[in-house]
């Protein structure tokens, strides 16, 4: 019987990236999936990126992964979120054409040497704590040195629409119940989570004239470091909002909503709440925004972002009838909630390898995450480590200081999840360093070393140009008077400053230094922009590192039982409520609370060490 190096179960975003990574590393790779034509399917909104998520896509690209290139090919509207804030928290986002996305994903598979097997995996083959392959629905067995499990929402998937419920992996696709049962029997720590999606509407039935148009950016920012221009026609989105009448309809039917009637037990994504959740949790708000996003250039389907629901179909229709522009909207596919199995990610190590079953790796929604980006990033790491395991190579891990990928995996394997996990910039300690503009500097060397990035020529040329620019900046030495002559704001201590320090000051631009050093007169604009950002963040970045070192030193500091969390300035209400409920005994215990941020920990530390407390 043929033995594969790597078998990947699931052709979703995690599975695709896992198989590609393993294949790039030279592993003989097979991808077993229920429906090969569904590879590249976007289960929910056909949009990629956003805050934190856009960082993940850049990092995937920097490690040679495919999601960024696929999304760039399919992008029909690009927007850089937080454009007015600093580069560290900006997030690229693209509305994608669902069909173009699938086609681009299928092309990537066709261009690889991955073997696709259309089948259902019903069991894992194991011997003495080692996974040895998989069993298929037709009874066949396939041997493999490593297996990546990335079954998304399909394990034990149950769809809910109002009081109606049935087994499914996502709308129109069968659930994987046999594998779910086997994992439970094999003592995997399995829990239930839920997510939801809004109804899809016919564009022809929407009155766009009544709505606010939202165009994309004039100067789009792409995901892949290799993309220079949009590849598809660009189109606008539209904005509408719920009205008090909408909320009346929703409240009247709440008892029939699967998520509210007790029909679903697993927790859902707090950051992507259903409209039922919004109306009950934020009862004082009279309106909630809805983005009407096209599903494709040739598609009549519109995705109303913001009204995910599991109300019965007639209640969904009644709700839409109250929303401006959607009064006559025709539902093409009802909104629904789905409940599914996940495996406690604390059973994994930082390679995403199962601690008790050698050779098994898990990636994507099965680890309790939500989102294409989170899934793809885990897929890449799991696939690379599955290949490394099979080929006897060094593992690939990313630490928290090197990437959002590292932050996510560390969060998952050390803290686990209590609700579907999604990436946010606030989860990262080293935000000022983990920027979208330097994802390649942070991770491509690792990708090259592990064989995930094949060609480093473009990257090396960029690094060389950056180093030349940095050296030229360090050579510059200007007095306050000389600097003022070039347009820089003056300073009072009279000391000379180098180019990095000058750029860090208010209004400092590289072109102002063009005559200060010959090496700075011909810096390409994209390298110049990177140098300016580096200089601007340098001092803050160093401060951040010092803060983190302090936190690490003082993790043992205890937190008093009677601490009044509601009185601590700078803590969000949500975190204060969580802390008050959990009452962690120390900074270390507080750190493990989901949603805890480094900034919040520093506030706690300041509170227990601060003058107010000492005086009391
Ligand atoms: P999936 O994309 O689900 O892929 C799983 C793959 O595994 C499929 O190819 C399937 O055929 C295959 N498979 C499963 N079982 C077997 C088996 N036994 N044998 C062989 N193949 C198998 N994300 C957000 O960020 N925001 C949202 O609001 C959001 N809403 C969502 C709403 C719904 C209804 C759904 C279904 C998903 C939603 N998502 C959302 C999640 C997003 O779609 C997923 O996080 C992402 O697709 C997960 O990728 P994955 O690779 O882990 O799994």
């Amino acid at each position: 019987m043929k033995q594969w190096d790597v078998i990947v179960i699931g052709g979703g975003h995690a599975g695709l990236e896992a198989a590609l990574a393993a294949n790039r590393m030279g592993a003989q790779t097979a991808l077993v999936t229920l429906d090969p034509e569904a590879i590249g399917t976007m289960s929910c909104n056909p949009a990629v990126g956003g805050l934190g998520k856009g960082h993940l896509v850049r990092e995937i690209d920097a490690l040679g992964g495919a999601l960024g290139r696929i999304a760039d090919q399919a992008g029909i509207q690009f927007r850089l979120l937080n454009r007015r804030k600093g580069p560290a928290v900006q997030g690229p986002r693209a509305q994608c054409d669902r069909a173009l996305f699938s086609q681009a994903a299928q092309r990537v598979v066709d261009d690889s040497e991955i073997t696709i097997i259309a089948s259902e995996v019903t069991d894992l083959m194991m011997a003495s704590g080692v996974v040895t392959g998989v069993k298929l629905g037709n009874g066949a067995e396939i041997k493999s040195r490593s297996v990546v499990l990335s079954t998304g929402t399909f394990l034990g998937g149950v769809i809910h629409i109002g009081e109606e419920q049935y087994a499914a992996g996502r709308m129109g696709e069968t659930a994987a119940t046999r594998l779910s049962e086997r994992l439970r029997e094999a003592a995997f720590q399995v829990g239930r989570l839920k997510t939801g999606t809004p109804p899809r509407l016919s564009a022809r039935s929407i009155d766009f004239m009544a709505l606010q148009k939202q165009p994309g950016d004039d100067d789009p920012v792409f995901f892949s470091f290799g993309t220079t221009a949009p590849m598809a026609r660009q189109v606008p989105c539209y904005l509408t909002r719920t009205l008090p009448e909408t909320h009346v309809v929703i409240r009247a039917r709440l008892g029939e909503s699967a998520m509210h009637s007790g029909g679903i037990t697993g927790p859902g994504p707090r950051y992507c709440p259903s409209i039922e959740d919004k109306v009950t949790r934020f009862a004082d708000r009279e309106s909630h925004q809805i983005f009407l996003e096209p599903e494709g250039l040739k598609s009549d389907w519109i995705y109303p972002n913001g009204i995910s629901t599991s109300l019965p179909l007639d209640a969904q229709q009644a709700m839409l009838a109250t929303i401006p522009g959607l009064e006559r909207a025709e539902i093409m596919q009802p909104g629904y909630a789905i409940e599914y199995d996940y495996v406690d990610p604390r059973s994994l190590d930082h390679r995403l390898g199962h601690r008790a079953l050698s050779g098994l790796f898990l990636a994507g929604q099965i680890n309790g995450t939500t989102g294409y980006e989170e899934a793809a990033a885990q897929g890449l790491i799991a696939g690379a480590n599955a290949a490394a395991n099979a080929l006897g190579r060094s593992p690939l891990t990313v630490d928290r200081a090197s990437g959002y990928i590292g932050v996510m995996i560390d969060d998952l394997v050390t803290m686990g999840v209590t609700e579907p996990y999604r990436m946010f910039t606030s989860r990262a300690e080293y935000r000022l360093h983990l920027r979208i503009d330097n994802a390649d500097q942070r991770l491509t060397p690792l990708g090259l070393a592990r064989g995930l990035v094949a060609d480093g020529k473009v990257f090396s040329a960029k690094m060389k140009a950056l180093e030349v620019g940095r050296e030229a900046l360090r050579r510059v030495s200007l007095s306050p008077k000389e600097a003022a002559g070039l347009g820089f704001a003056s300073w009072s201590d009279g000391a000379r400053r180098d180019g990095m320090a000058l750029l860090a000051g208010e209004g400092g631009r590289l072109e102002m230094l063009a005559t200060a050093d010959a090496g700075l007169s011909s810096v390409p604009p994209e390298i110049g922009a990177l140098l300016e950002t580096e200089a601007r963040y340098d001092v803050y970045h160093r401060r951040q590192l010092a803060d983190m070192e302090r936190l690490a030193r003082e993790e043992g500091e205890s937190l008093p039982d009677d601490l009044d969390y509601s009185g601590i300035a700078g803590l969000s209400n949500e975190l204060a409520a969580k802390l008050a409920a959990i009452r962690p005994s120390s900074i270390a215990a507080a750190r493990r609370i989901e949603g805890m941020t480094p900034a919040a920990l520093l506030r706690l530390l300041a509170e227990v060490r601060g003058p107010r407390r000492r005086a009391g």
Side-chain angles (χ1 to χ4, degrees):
M1 190 197 297
K2 178 180 168 79
Q3 183 173 42
W4 294 89
D5 290 326
V6 175
I7 287 183
V8 176
I9 310 171
H13 302 267
L16 175 61
E17 214 65 71
L20 290 168
N23 181 235
R24 283 201 300 285
M25 285 177 59
Q28 285 207 29
T29 307
L31 189 153
V32 187
T33 190
L34 292 165
D35 176 7
E37 286 187 12
I39 291 175
T41 296
M42 307 180 92
S43 321
C44 195
N45 186 3
V48 171
L51 303 177
K53 287 169 171 273
H55 288 76
L56 284 175
V57 187
R58 275 284 172 102
E59 292 179 3
I60 292 168
D61 189 67
L63 285 168
L67 181 59
R69 282 179 284 130
I70 294 172
D72 283 346
Q73 287 175 54
I76 53 177
Q77 184 187 90
F78 291 90
R79 290 185 63 220
L80 183 65
L81 308 187
N82 271 351
R83 191 175 271 273
R84 272 185 240 127
K85 295 194 183 162
V89 291
Q90 291 174 345
R93 180 189 192 276
Q95 186 65 29
C96 294
D97 179 305
R98 191 183 281 287
L100 291 178
F101 188 98
S102 280
Q103 287 158 18
Q106 302 268 351
R107 271 198 302 276
V108 173
V109 175
D110 291 345
D111 291 345
S112 75
E113 281 153 19
I114 301 167
T115 299
I116 304 289
I117 300 171
S119 189
E120 179 186 351
V121 170
T122 51
D123 204 355
L124 300 175
M125 288 155 56
M126 315 171 210
S128 321
V130 178
V131 69
T132 55
V134 300
K135 286 187 189 158
L136 303 185
N138 61 7
E141 296 185 345
I142 317 181
K143 286 180 76 180
S144 182
R145 292 186 174 84
S146 302
V147 171
V148 179
L149 186 58
S150 65
T151 44
T153 49
F154 285 66
L155 287 194
V158 177
I159 281 185
H160 298 255
I161 305 173
E163 281 154 9
E164 185 191 334
Q165 44 176 276
Y166 57 92
R170 57 190 166 209
M171 185 66 83
E173 292 180 68
T174 50
T177 38
R178 285 186 282 183
L179 186 55
S180 159
E181 283 159 15
R182 286 295 299 128
L183 292 186
R184 282 170 193 272
E185 283 161 20
F188 276 73
Q189 286 156 325
V190 178
R192 299 289 277 170
L193 289 173
K194 72 169 183 215
T195 187
T197 195
R200 307 304 198 271
L201 311 176
S202 162
R204 277 187 294 249
S205 65
I206 296 175
D207 179 10
F208 289 107
M209 299 299 276
L211 302 177
Q212 185 189 334
K213 198 175 188 171
Q214 192 191 44
D217 290 345
D218 292 332
D219 53 344
V221 171
F222 303 104
F223 293 112
S224 173
F225 284 93
T227 306
T228 51
M231 287 169 246
R233 182 162 59 84
Q234 300 298 290
V235 295
C237 295
Y238 289 83
L239 261 175
T240 184
R241 25 183 67 252
T242 59
L243 298 178
E245 299 88 286
T246 321
H247 301 183
V248 170
V249 172
I250 295 167
R251 282 200 193 95
R253 307 289 301 266
L254 264 185
E256 297 163 73
S257 159
M259 294 200 222
H260 277 257
S261 61
I264 299 183
T265 47
R270 194 159 38 101
Y271 304 106
C272 199
S274 64
I275 189 67
E276 295 93 300
D277 276 342
K278 289 187 200 174
V279 165
T280 45
R281 266 173 42 198
F282 311 105
D284 51 331
R285 297 243 329 242
E286 294 202 333
S287 174
H288 295 279
Q289 221 171 30
I290 306 167
F291 293 91
L292 297 177
E293 301 174 331
E295 293 230 342
L297 295 174
K298 293 185 185 156
S299 167
D300 178 46
W301 284 30
I302 295 288
Y303 179 97
N305 190 349
I307 50 168
S308 154
T309 180
S310 60
L311 284 166
L313 184 55
D314 67 316
Q316 295 185 24
Q317 195 75 65
M319 161 180 86
L320 292 171
T322 64
I323 298 173
L326 306 186
E327 294 87 347
R328 277 174 287 282
E330 187 189 337
I331 295 180
M332 308 304 285
Q333 177 187 293
Y336 65 93
I338 183 161
E339 204 182 8
Y340 53 92
D341 290 347
Y342 79 100
V343 173
D344 185 342
R346 286 173 298 184
S347 52
L348 307 177
D349 59 26
H350 283 83
R351 301 170 308 142
L352 293 178
H354 198 274
R355 292 181 201 267
L357 198 51
S358 174
L360 179 67
F361 298 80
L362 274 76
Q365 194 124 357
I366 191 169
N367 288 341
T369 57
T370 173
Y372 312 125
E373 306 79 358
E374 289 83 350
Q378 291 170 65
L380 190 149
I381 299 295
N385 283 313
N389 176 64
L391 304 174
R393 306 238 197 100
S394 311
L396 171 76
T397 54
V398 177
D399 61 43
R400 296 184 77 95
S402 304
Y404 277 86
I405 295 180
V407 172
M408 171 177 66
I409 292 177
D410 187 53
D411 282 351
L412 291 173
V413 306
T414 58
M415 297 194 288
V417 296
T418 50
E419 62 189 24
Y421 178 102
R422 71 155 285 182
M423 186 40 83
F424 287 107
T425 49
S426 59
R427 295 194 190 269
E429 294 83 346
Y430 304 98
R431 270 197 297 291
L432 301 182
H433 176 53
L434 306 186
R435 303 188 305 270
I436 54 170
D437 64 0
N438 67 3
D440 54 348
Q441 295 179 57
R442 294 184 274 116
L443 295 172
T444 300
L446 191 58
L448 283 163
R450 294 290 186 279
L452 284 165
V453 179
D455 184 358
K457 280 202 279 302
V458 176
F459 174 71
S460 302
K462 182 173 167 186
M463 288 310 100
K464 204 164 158 206
L466 264 174
E467 201 39 48
V468 168
R470 285 184 195 122
E471 274 169 21
L473 283 171
R474 283 188 217 114
R475 275 198 304 267
V476 170
S477 169
L478 299 182
S479 68
K481 196 168 162 208
E482 288 162 340
L486 297 177
F488 288 95
S490 192
W491 59 96
S492 56
D493 67 6
R496 299 182 80 81
R497 286 191 176 172
D498 73 3
M500 277 295 200
L502 287 163
L503 287 186
E506 186 72 28
R509 300 295 313 271
L510 191 72
E511 65 243 28
M512 292 153 72
L513 290 171
T515 55
D517 186 285
L520 293 174
S521 58
S522 55
V523 176
E526 65 281 7
I527 298 293
L530 282 172
L531 291 170
E532 283 175 2
T533 309
E534 241 178 68
R536 214 156 286 149
Y537 277 93
D538 191 45
V539 64
Y540 300 107
H541 179 218
R542 273 191 261 169
R543 202 175 295 158
Q544 205 167 60
L545 288 181
D547 280 350
M548 292 321 301
E549 277 165 21
R550 186 171 159 226
L551 270 182
R553 270 198 318 271
E554 307 198 17
E555 275 216 333
E557 179 77 39
S558 52
L559 295 172
D561 249 3
D562 61 346
L563 195 57
D564 175 15
Y565 290 103
S566 62
I568 302 179
L571 279 190
S572 69
N573 291 342
E574 200 173 328
L575 258 184
K578 260 194 182 178
L579 284 160
I582 297 170
R583 298 225 153 261
S585 58
S586 64
I587 291 285
R591 186 176 132 60
R592 287 193 289 275
I593 294 177
E594 203 185 349
M596 179 56 67
T597 64
L601 285 176
L602 285 168
R603 298 232 185 267
L604 290 184
L605 205 51
E607 181 67 19
V608 289
R609 285 279 172 89
R612 224 155 45 92
R613 189 89 201 164
R614 276 204 298 272

